[in-house]
C-alpha cells in the first residue's frame, strides 16, 4: 500500500503499476487540494484566468461568461477525445492515471477533491481508461490522450475492466462509482500535462531494466560457451576507465560467472610460458560482441538510470497551466506542460535499447556462423546438416526486427511541427517518442528470446549443462521448461512467443 503524500519514488510508482499495491490519499494531500480549489474559486472571481473564464489556445482572447464556465470544461474534454490507433496497454494507462494523480495532488492545479478520490479508485480497482497511441504532440502536454482519461472521469467513454473493453457508465454502475464534480478547471487541469508520456516512460524503464539484465545474462552465457578468458570483465581492467556503468556491468558479469567452471584465466594458458606455437589455435581475444560487453552495456545502464531520474522528477512536478500558488496567493501562466524533458529521455532510451538489441543480434550471428565460432554446427543445427535447419529461420526474424528498431531510433525530439493555429509553434512529440520506445523495447524482447533459445541449444550440443554458472543454469532450466531440445525442425513461432513472455514477466 502506497500513500500519496509529498513525494512518490520510482520504486513506489512501479510497485503500484506492476505489484498492484493500493493507493491511499493522505490527509495532507486532501487538505492541500482543498486549499488550492478554494483559493482558485475565490481568486478567479474578478480576474482573467486562462481556462477558467477564457477560451483555450488561440481562443484565449474570448471571455467565457460565468454561466458557461462549467460547460466549457465538458466541451474541452469531449472535443479533444479524438485519439486514434491502438489502445495503450493497461499498464501504460494505469501509469498515466498515477502520474496525473500525483501531479494534481501537489495542490498547484485547483481541482475539485472528487478528482483525486476517483483517480485513486480507478487505480485500486484496476479500471483503466481507453487511451489511444495517436493524438498528442506533447506541447500543452498530452491533450488528446489525457482527454480520454478525463472522459472516463466524467463518466463517459470506455474502459478496460476485467479484461474486457466496456462503456464507462456500465462499469461505474457495477462498481458503485460516481463521476467527478466539475467546478472550475477540472477539464483543463486533467488534460494539460505530461502524464501519459511520463506513465509510458515509467513502463518503458521498467522493461528496459529487465532487458539489460537478460542481455547481460546472455552475454555471460556465450562467454561460458566459448570458454573465454576473464580479464575483459575483470575489476582491474574496467577500473582503468572511469565510467560507473561499465564498472557495474563488469561487476555483474563477475558475479554471474563466479561459479562457472568454463571461464578461464589467461595466466593458466597464454601467460604460462609453455606455448611455443607460431600460429595460435586458441583465440588471443574474443570478438567485440563477447569482449566489449561492459563497454557496450555500460552506457545502456547509465542511460536507463538517468532516464529514471528524469521521470521521477517529472511525475513529482506540477506540469499543467496555469499554476495555482496558494502560498503566494497568485496564479502563474507559463509552459510547465511542455514535454521536452520526457521526449528527449525517451529518444535516449530507445537508442540504447536498440544498441542492446544490436548486441544480441550480433551475438546470435556469432553462434549461428560456424566459421566464426568454430565450435558449433551451422545454425546450431542439432539435426542432419542439409536436411534440417536449426535456428536458420528465426535468424531472419531477429535481423529484420533489429533493423526495424534501428530505423525507429531516429529522434522525435527534433521533429516539431507547429499546429494549433501556430499557438503551439514548437512542440515536443514526447508521447510519440514514448510509444515508439515501447515498440523498440518489445522488439528487443523478441530478439533476446531467439538468442536465448539458441544459447540453450548450444549448451546441449556442447554438453556444458553441468559446467555453466548457477545463474546461467537457472534460466537455462526455465527456458528448457518452455522449449524442448529439438533436432527435428519445429514450428518456431509459439516457442519464441512463450520465451518472450517469460522474459517480460520474470
Amino acid at each position: 500500500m502506497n500513500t500519496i503524500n509529498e513525494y512518490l519514488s520510482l520504486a513506489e510508482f512501479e510497485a503500484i503499476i506492476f505489484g498492484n499495491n493500493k493507493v491511499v490519499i493522505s490527509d495532507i494531500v486532501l487538505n492541500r487540494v482543498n486549499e488550492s480549489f478554494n483559493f482558485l474559486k475565490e481568486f478567479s472571481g474578478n480576474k482573467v484566468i486562462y481556462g477558467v473564464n477564457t477560451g483555450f489556445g488561440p481562443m484565449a482572447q474570448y471571455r467565457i461568461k460565468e454561466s458557461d464556465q462549467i460547460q466549457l470544461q465538458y466541451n474541452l474534454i469531449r472535443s479533444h477525445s479524438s485519439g486514434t490507433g491502438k489502445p495503450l496497454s493497461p499498464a501504460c494507462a494505469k501509469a498515466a492515471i498515477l502520474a496525473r494523480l500525483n501531479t494534481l495532488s501537489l495542490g498547484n492545479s485547483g481541482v475539485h477533491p472528487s478528482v483525486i478520490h476517483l483517480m485513486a479508485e480507478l487505480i485500486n480497482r484496476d479500471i483503466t481508461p481507453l487511451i489511444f497511441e495517436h493524438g498528442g504532440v506533447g506541447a500543452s502536454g498530452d491533450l488528446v490522450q489525457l482527454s480520454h482519461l478525463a472522459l472516463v472521469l466524467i463518466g463517459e467513454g470506455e474502459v478496460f475492466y476485467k479484461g474486457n473493453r466496456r462503456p464507462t457508465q456500465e462499469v461505474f454502475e457495477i462498481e458503485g462509482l460516481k463521476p467527478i464534480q466539475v467546478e472550475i478547471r477540472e477539464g483543463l487541469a486533467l488534460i494539460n500535462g505530461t502524464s501519459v508520456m511520463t506513465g509510458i516512460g515509467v513502463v518503458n524503464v521498467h522493461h528496459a531494466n529487465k532487458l539489460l539484465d537478460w542481455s547481460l545474462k546472455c552475454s555471460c552465457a556465450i562467454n561460458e560457451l566459448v570458454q573465454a578468458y576473464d580479464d575483459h570483465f575483470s575489476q582491474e581492467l574496467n577500473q582503468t576507465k572511469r565510467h560507473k556503468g561499465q564498472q557495474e556491468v563488469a561487476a555483474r558479469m563477475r558475479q554471474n560467472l563466479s561459479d562457472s567452471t568454463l571461464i578461464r584465466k589467461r595466466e593458466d594458458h597464454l601467460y604460462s610460458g609453455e606455448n611455443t606455437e607460431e600460429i595460435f589455435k586458441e583465440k588471443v581475444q574474443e570478438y567485440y560482441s563477447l569482449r566489449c560487453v561492459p563497454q557496450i552495456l555500460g552506457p545502456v545502464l547509465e542511460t536507463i538510470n538517468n532516464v529514471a531520474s528524469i521521470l521521477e522528477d517529472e511525475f513529482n512536478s506540477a506540469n499543467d497551466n496555469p499554476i495555482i500558488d496558494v502560498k503566494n496567493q497568485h496564479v502563474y501562466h507559463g509552459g510547465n506542460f511542455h514535454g521536452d524533458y520526457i521526449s528527449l529521455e525517451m529518444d535516449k532510451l530507445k537508442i540504447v535499447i536498440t544498441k542492446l538489441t544490436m548486441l544480441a543480434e550480433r551475438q546470435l550471428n556469432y553462434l549461428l556462423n560456424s566459421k566464426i565460432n568454430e565450435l558449433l554446427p551451422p545454425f546450431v543445427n542439432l539435426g542432419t546438416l542439409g536436411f534440417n535447419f536449426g535456428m536458420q529461420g528465426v535468424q531472419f526474424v531477429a535481423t529484420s526486427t533489429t533493423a526495424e528498431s534501428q530505423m525507429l531510433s531516429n529522434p522525435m525530439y527534433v521533429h516539431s511541427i507547429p499546429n494549433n493555429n501556430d499557438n503551439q509553434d514548437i512542440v515536443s512529440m514526447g508521447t510519440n517518442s514514448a510509444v515508439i520506445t515501447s515498440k523498440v523495447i518489445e522488439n528487443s524482447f523478441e530478439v533476446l528470446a531467439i538468442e536465448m533459445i539458441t544459447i540453450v541449444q548450444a549448451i546441449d550440443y556442447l554438453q556444458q549443462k553441468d559446467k555453466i554458472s548457477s545463474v546461467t543454469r537457472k534460466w537455462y532450466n526455465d527456458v528448457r521448461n518452455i522449449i524442448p531440445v529439438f533436432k527435428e525442425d519445429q514450428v518456431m513461432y509459439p516457442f519464441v512467443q512463450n520465451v518472450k513472455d517469460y522474459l517480460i514477466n520474470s
Side-chain angles (χ1 to χ4, degrees), residues 198-325:
T198 302
I200 299 170
V202 172
V203 174
N204 287 343
V205 162
H206 177 82
H207 290 313
N209 274 311
K210 286 191 175 185
L211 285 169
L212 176 66
D213 185 55
W214 287 122
S215 178
L216 196 146
K217 287 176 178 175
C218 286
S219 299
C220 288
I222 297 175
N223 272 283
E224 291 185 271
L225 289 173
V226 304
Q227 299 184 50
Y229 295 109
D230 68 352
D231 47 352
H232 64 270
F233 54 85
S234 67
Q235 181 178 1
E236 292 77 9
L237 180 138
N238 286 281
Q239 71 183 3
T240 64
K241 252 192 159 177
R242 294 178 59 85
H243 301 299
K244 292 181 180 178
Q246 174 179 333
Q247 293 172 2
E248 184 172 340
V249 168
R252 291 190 194 182
M253 292 182 73
R254 292 194 298 274
Q255 183 177 11
N256 281 2
L257 295 169
S258 60
D259 58 356
S260 173
T261 62
L262 294 169
I263 298 297
R264 298 185 293 171
K265 291 192 175 296
R266 198 169 291 269
E267 50 266 34
D268 295 335
H269 298 274
L270 295 180
Y271 286 1
S272 66
E274 299 174 3
N275 193 314
T276 59
E277 296 171 290
E278 292 296 323
I279 300 176
F280 306 116
K281 293 180 182 178
E282 291 189 20
K283 281 186 179 162
V284 176
Q285 52 188 12
E286 301 297 338
Y287 283 92
Y288 285 17
S289 61
L290 280 67
R291 177 166 36 115
C292 299
V293 173
Q295 293 81 5
I296 295 169
L297 293 184
V300 178
L301 171 60
E302 289 194 44
T303 300
I304 293 171
N305 289 341
N306 290 337
V307 172
S309 177
I310 295 293
L311 287 167
E312 188 169 287
D313 284 342
E314 187 69 25
F315 63 67
N316 283 293
S317 298
N319 52 60
D320 51 333
N321 179 59
I323 295 297
I324 315 305
D325 186 346

Side-chain angles (χ1 to χ4, degrees), residues 48-65 69 72 421:
V48 177
I49 306 294
Y50 174 76
V52 173
N53 49 27
T54 76
F56 300 104
M59 294 185 288
Q61 306 308 115
Y62 295 91
R63 182 184 292 273
I64 306 299
K65 57 186 178 181
Q69 287 172 10
L72 173 71
N421 281 5

Side-chain angles (χ1 to χ4, degrees), residues 207-216 218-219 289 296-301 304 349-364 402 405 409 440-441 443-448 451:
H207 290 313
N209 274 311
K210 286 191 175 185
L211 285 169
L212 176 66
D213 185 55
W214 287 122
S215 178
L216 196 146
C218 286
S219 299
S289 61
I296 295 169
L297 293 184
V300 178
L301 171 60
I304 293 171
L349 187 61
K350 69 185 178 186
I351 288 170
V352 296
I353 295 302
T354 292
K355 191 61 179 282
L356 180 151
T357 310
M358 292 164 61
L359 175 65
E361 189 276 331
R362 286 295 84 197
Q363 290 173 341
L364 174 65
T402 302
S405 290
S409 291
V440 168
I441 286 170
N443 286 353
S444 192
F445 277 115
E446 292 173 6
V447 175
L448 281 170
E451 181 183 18

Side-chain angles (χ1 to χ4, degrees), residues 80 82-85 132-138 141-145 419 431-432:
H80 283 62
S82 55
T84 62
F132 295 98
E133 288 184 348
H134 293 163
V137 297
D142 303 306
L143 288 175
V144 169
Q145 281 100 339
N419 68 116
T431 312
N432 281 352

Side-chain angles (χ1 to χ4, degrees), residues 368 370 376-392 461 487 489:
L368 298 181
S370 60
L376 300 165
F379 304 107
V380 195
N381 184 354
L382 306 191
T384 302
L385 296 182
F387 179 68
N388 297 116
F389 292 90
M391 300 295 291
Q392 182 175 331
Y461 176 80
K487 297 182 180 179
D489 293 313

